[in-house]
Amino acid sequence: MDADALAPVTPGRPVGVAIVDDHPVVIDGVRAWLATEPRLTVLATGDDPDEVLRAAPQADVVLLDLRLHGRLVLDKLAELSSAGRRVVVYSEHSDPATMLAALDAGAVAFLAKHEGREHCVTTVLDAASDRPYVGPALAGAMVGDPRPDRPVLSDKEREALLLWFQSMSKASVARRMRISEHTVKQYVDRARIKYTRAGRPAATKAALLARAIEDGLVRPEEIGIYRSRASTDQPTP
């Protein structure tokens, strides 16, 4: 399922989070971090993704440890993402290859366990609103990605993507570029098609941002990746 089609979190309603990790001390720590943000509420925790989501099927975001019971669960990540779940990977395995593999499997964001509370809270909030957020570790992996299969985007496609990544709605992008909203959608869709043809599909806004940064089409500083967001931030269509 395309994450752009996921139902956005209703403004004013807390974002429901499911935490999947096989280390109770990590769960307790993450729960404490999320508890500092009134817009977040932890609905269920555990070491089995299926059991956790049976307990909290309404969870808006799944915070998933990529290594469970001694093995990397990229297959489960892909399954959850394909089912339309917003999955934020939270892992100690922060080497570039693993982080990029997680994005390829459908993660909307990757958070290294050595990154702090602020990044954790912001990542979960942005994931719930289908806004891209990239922490320092992932930004480094994206910028250093050596893969050569990079599609060529037109100047207009790149401009539309850059404005869209800056948390603008497509209607706002259309006004800024003085074109129709339909044309903006065409630019975004064409970029997605080009990545799909290159064997690197990008079905979600976060995945498309990841591709663009990986390929040097967008620089991290152009979208204010490390900015702090005010509590009045609203979901961006």
Side-chain angles (χ1 to χ4, degrees):
M1 179 185 296
D2 188 330
D4 287 344
L6 289 173
V9 177
T10 304
R13 176 178 69 79
V15 171
V17 183
I19 303 173
V20 183
D21 198 296
D22 56 359
H23 295 89
V25 66
V26 173
I27 289 178
D28 290 345
V30 173
R31 184 194 288 273
W33 280 356
L34 300 184
T36 66
E37 171 51 65
R39 290 174 290 173
L40 299 174
T41 183
V42 175
L43 301 178
T45 66
D47 62 2
D48 183 291
D50 295 328
E51 290 183 4
V52 170
L53 289 173
R54 274 195 293 270
Q58 75 277 32
D60 301 297
V61 177
V62 180
L63 196 58
L64 175 71
D65 184 359
L66 194 58
R67 188 177 185 86
L68 295 173
H69 306 294
R71 76 175 189 91
L72 293 180
V73 291
L74 286 167
D75 54 345
K76 176 54 70 171
L77 166 60
E79 178 186 323
L80 294 173
S81 299
S82 296
R85 291 286 182 181
R86 299 177 180 93
V87 183
V88 172
V89 169
Y90 183 56
S91 178
E92 63 185 1
H93 296 279
S94 56
D95 59 283
T98 298
M99 289 190 283
L100 295 173
L103 291 180
D104 287 345
V108 300
F110 190 107
L111 190 65
K113 284 189 174 179
H114 66 262
E115 292 174 314
R117 180 191 63 81
E118 180 181 354
H119 287 297
C120 181
V121 169
T122 304
T123 299
V124 172
L125 285 172
D126 281 6
S129 298
D130 297 320
R131 292 179 303 199
Y133 181 85
V134 182
L138 183 54
M142 289 176 173
V143 171
D145 183 16
R147 292 179 290 189
D149 47 351
R150 301 182 176 188
V152 177
L153 302 186
S154 70
D155 289 342
K156 288 296 185 182
E157 288 166 354
R158 182 185 180 279
E159 181 182 2
L161 288 179
L162 178 58
L163 292 173
W164 188 46
F165 292 150
Q166 291 172 330
S167 294
M168 284 188 176
S169 67
K170 287 175 183 170
S172 297
V173 174
R175 289 193 294 271
R176 181 78 171 269
M177 294 181 68
R178 297 183 177 181
I179 57 179
S180 71
E181 188 173 349
H182 175 71
T183 301
V184 172
K185 185 177 184 302
Q186 283 186 320
Y187 286 147
V188 173
D189 288 345
R190 287 208 306 245
R192 282 194 170 122
I193 289 170
K194 288 179 179 181
Y195 273 105
T196 298
R197 286 175 176 169
R200 298 165 63 201
T204 68
K205 187 174 185 178
L208 194 55
L209 171 64
R211 301 303 188 207
I213 293 177
E214 287 169 9
D215 295 346
L217 299 171
V218 174
R219 296 188 303 275
E221 59 269 22
E222 288 183 294
I223 59 167
I225 277 174
Y226 305 115
R227 70 185 182 277
S228 296
R229 295 188 170 87
S231 60
T232 55
D233 280 357
Q234 297 296 328
T236 300

